[in-house]
Amino acid sequence: MFVSENLGVNEKGHLTVSGTDTVELAAEYGTPLYVMDEEMVRSNCSRFRDSMKKFYGEKGEVHYASKAFSCMEMCRIVASEGIGLDAVSIGELYTALKAGFPMEKIGFHGNNKTDAELEFAVDNGVGHIIVDNISELHRLEAIAAAKGKKPAIMFRIKPGIDAHTHDFVKTGQIDSKFGFALETGEAFDAVKEALSCENISLAGLHCHIGSQIFDIAPFEEAAKVMLGFIAKIKTELGYEVPGLNLGGGFGIKYMDKDDPQPFEVFLERVSAVVKSECEKLGLTQPFMYIEPGRSIAAPAGLTLYTVGARKEIPNIRTYISVDGGMADSPRYILYKSEYEAIVANKANEERTEKVTIAGKCCESGDLIGENMSLQHAESGDIIAVCATGAYNYSMSSNYNRLQKPAVVFVNKGTSRIAVKRETLDDIIRNDV
Ligand code: LLP
């Protein structure tokens, strides 16, 4: 009936998430409100973790890509599920550190890390630093030497794979700001250089081909290309790179028409390819990492809004304006991403309208979506937008000096604040 399986309707006709009444959540915590279903986050983590073990064995690790949704409570939940983390800035590292996350289970990314970020990672014993470019290698070598440390690195490689997704989230092709190109010999030269560095150990190669990808074939293809490169390094340089990180990017169901494969199928197929390629190429099975972000966080999230104005423009469209918008939900204006919406207090009614849900920002493009199928919505109704758990809170802004919403975790009928709603004083806290 709904796009996420954790949603239901109770006897009052209200939308529920993990058994919790969303209309009551809106009344208790106010709107806009981000709601995260703890049970679903946990089961997504454990499904990835368990299928990695089942299909690949002990030499595998799942890292949650915290750029999708990061806060201390999320880090604690992820840590307690026994999976690692992908962090991409000192802010994400700091959040994990403060949450008590085991730093040795973190892969630190970024195409332009500052010295301060590299030093922070080295000082705090981050598991792997995923080096993106040659100047970063040089800077890291100098930092490690000065500190008398020997960090483990991976190289971010562009495997030259075209994943079928939005141009803004494609990353595997040669024209990308991320990583070393294979075709030009750049990646090979970097590996050669790393092997001569005294203060760095080359622990793996990394690739990430893009995001919201439904097809498993490009991941299999990327694995083959990367293993081919590991074989070439072994033959020509006499070093067998022990780790392979295949990144994230698994697509999720935002709309009825989306039909992602279960994580289990993804891991089964990719593991089989890695194993058979290793056999073919005479390689030891590498330690394998994957970095799902969206697929862990997005389906577990929901955003609640209160409807304000309703504006019917005859023969053109009906606007339903809500008390949030592009500041808390930037994916429509950025990528025209589609979402399912439900009038939470009329969840068992028919969807009789096609409407445009608009935000409250001073910008015509500030929409939650267009042509959205919805129950008849009026001022005071609560609208739930589904599957917003990834890349909404994490990409939110204070545009128009709007206060960022609170984040609440729900679990089988109970709820608790994970991030407080910003106050007006928060809005001016850094102003002098
Ligand atoms: N690993 C690396 C190196 C990445 O760059 C990313 C995402 C991931 C893992 C996680 O990918 P996921 O499993 O979440 O697809 N803001 C965009 C998505 C940007 C993805 C950036 N990198 C959106 O809202 O669609």
Side-chain angles (χ1 to χ4, degrees):
M1 176 154 116
F2 301 119
V3 80
S4 301
E5 74 228 27
N6 58 344
L7 303 179
V9 182
N10 65 15
E11 63 294 345
K12 293 182 192 153
H14 293 176
L15 182 74
T16 60
V17 54
S18 180
T20 313
D21 186 319
T22 56
V23 180
E24 284 173 16
L25 285 173
E28 181 174 354
Y29 298 101
T31 57
L33 183 69
Y34 295 112
V35 181
M36 292 295 288
D37 175 355
E38 178 176 3
E39 234 187 333
M40 187 178 263
V41 169
R42 287 188 182 279
S43 89
N44 289 343
C45 291
S46 61
R47 280 177 58 200
F48 269 117
R49 183 196 64 212
D50 295 347
S51 38
M52 174 68 102
K53 194 163 171 194
K54 177 168 174 200
F55 297 111
Y56 197 72
E58 295 300 330
K59 284 177 78 179
E61 202 165 285
V62 177
H63 285 191
Y64 164 62
S66 69
K67 70 205 77 183
F69 170 64
S70 170
C71 68
M72 285 166 58
E73 185 63 355
M74 184 68 173
C75 290
R76 289 184 206 111
I77 291 171
V78 168
S80 74
E81 288 300 327
I83 69 172
L85 208 71
D86 148 5
V88 74
S89 70
I90 195 168
E92 287 181 2
L93 285 177
Y94 188 74
T95 305
L97 182 75
K98 287 290 174 183
F101 202 91
M103 301 303 275
E104 70 282 3
K105 282 171 88 167
I106 298 185
F108 181 37
H109 284 274
N111 67 302
N112 196 20
K113 304 177 192 75
T114 63
D115 282 356
E117 288 181 310
L118 291 172
E119 289 189 19
F120 187 88
V122 171
D123 286 342
N124 288 290
V126 162
H128 292 118
I129 297 176
I130 292 90
V131 173
D132 175 273
N133 55 72
I134 207 70
S135 75
E136 183 184 335
L137 182 74
H138 297 155
R139 287 186 295 120
L140 181 60
E141 166 76 351
I143 288 168
K147 292 182 185 291
K149 298 223 170 134
K150 192 167 180 175
I153 68 157
M154 295 194 188
F155 276 124
R156 170 81 181 248
I157 306 292
K158 298 186 241 200
I161 303 288
D162 188 9
H164 301 283
T165 188
H166 194 292
D167 276 353
F168 288 5
V169 296
K170 272 186 194 171
T171 46
Q173 72 287 5
I174 188 164
D175 181 6
S176 165
K177 69 171 181 165
F178 299 105
F180 295 88
L182 277 184
E183 295 100 308
T184 58
E186 184 192 22
F188 187 77
D189 292 344
V191 169
K192 212 153 68 178
E193 192 167 339
L195 293 178
S196 71
C197 288
E198 272 179 27
N199 298 287
I200 276 171
S201 76
L202 179 58
L205 299 180
H206 174 284
C207 68
H208 169 78
I209 55 174
S211 198
Q212 186 62 357
I213 300 166
F214 290 121
D215 192 2
I216 298 177
F219 293 104
E220 294 175 315
E221 211 40 53
K224 284 187 192 164
V225 170
M226 296 293 281
L227 288 162
F229 186 44
I230 290 179
K232 174 181 159 81
I233 295 166
K234 185 180 175 189
T235 311
E236 296 183 26
L237 302 175
Y239 179 75
E240 190 164 346
V241 178
L244 173 62
N245 188 328
L246 294 172
F250 327 119
I252 69 124
K253 192 177 180 77
Y254 282 108
M255 302 297 285
D256 240 1
K257 61 177 188 260
D258 298 330
D259 190 18
Q261 303 269 4
F263 314 151
E264 290 77 7
V265 175
F266 166 79
L267 270 162
E268 181 173 15
R269 281 182 49 182
V270 170
S271 299
V273 164
V274 171
K275 286 182 194 166
S276 70
E277 282 298 295
C278 285
E279 216 161 283
K280 201 166 95 191
L281 298 166
L283 296 173
T284 312
Q285 232 177 276
F287 210 100
M288 183 165 90
Y289 302 82
I290 56 163
E291 299 172 329
R294 185 194 313 272
S295 46
I296 287 179
L302 196 72
T303 311
L304 300 177
Y305 300 101
T306 303
V307 175
R310 181 185 166 100
K311 197 169 284 177
E312 288 176 30
I313 309 176
N315 303 321
I316 301 193
R317 65 168 93 202
T318 296
Y319 283 99
I320 304 290
S321 289
V322 295
D323 54 353
M326 61 184 280
D328 62 76
S329 178
R331 299 190 66 257
Y332 190 76
I333 198 161
L334 274 172
Y335 322 113
K336 288 268 182 287
S337 301
E338 291 182 283
Y339 286 99
E340 178 182 353
I342 301 155
V343 178
N345 50 309
K346 299 174 178 168
N348 56 1
E349 291 182 16
E350 287 281 306
R351 295 164 190 258
T352 50
E353 305 194 318
K354 289 269 186 190
V355 298
T356 294
I357 303 183
K360 59 181 275 129
C361 290
C362 267
E363 187 117 358
S364 294
D366 168 31
L367 306 175
I368 304 293
E370 291 168 277
N371 210 22
M372 296 174 93
S373 177
L374 202 66
Q375 296 82 357
H376 182 82
E378 282 161 9
S379 179
D381 283 340
I382 303 296
I383 287 186
V385 181
C386 305
T388 56
Y391 304 112
N392 278 293
Y393 172 71
S394 66
M395 295 204 299
S396 64
S397 76
N398 289 115
Y399 184 43
N400 290 168
R401 295 229 139 185
L402 295 185
Q403 299 152 60
K404 286 191 190 173
V407 181
V408 161
F409 271 87
V410 293
N411 193 345
K412 295 189 196 105
T414 65
S415 62
R416 64 183 194 280
I417 284 272
V419 182
K420 289 187 257 183
R421 182 178 303 284
E422 285 186 342
T423 62
L424 285 174
D425 282 331
D426 287 331
I427 293 294
I428 57 162
R429 73 178 176 266
N430 295 321
D431 293 7
V432 289

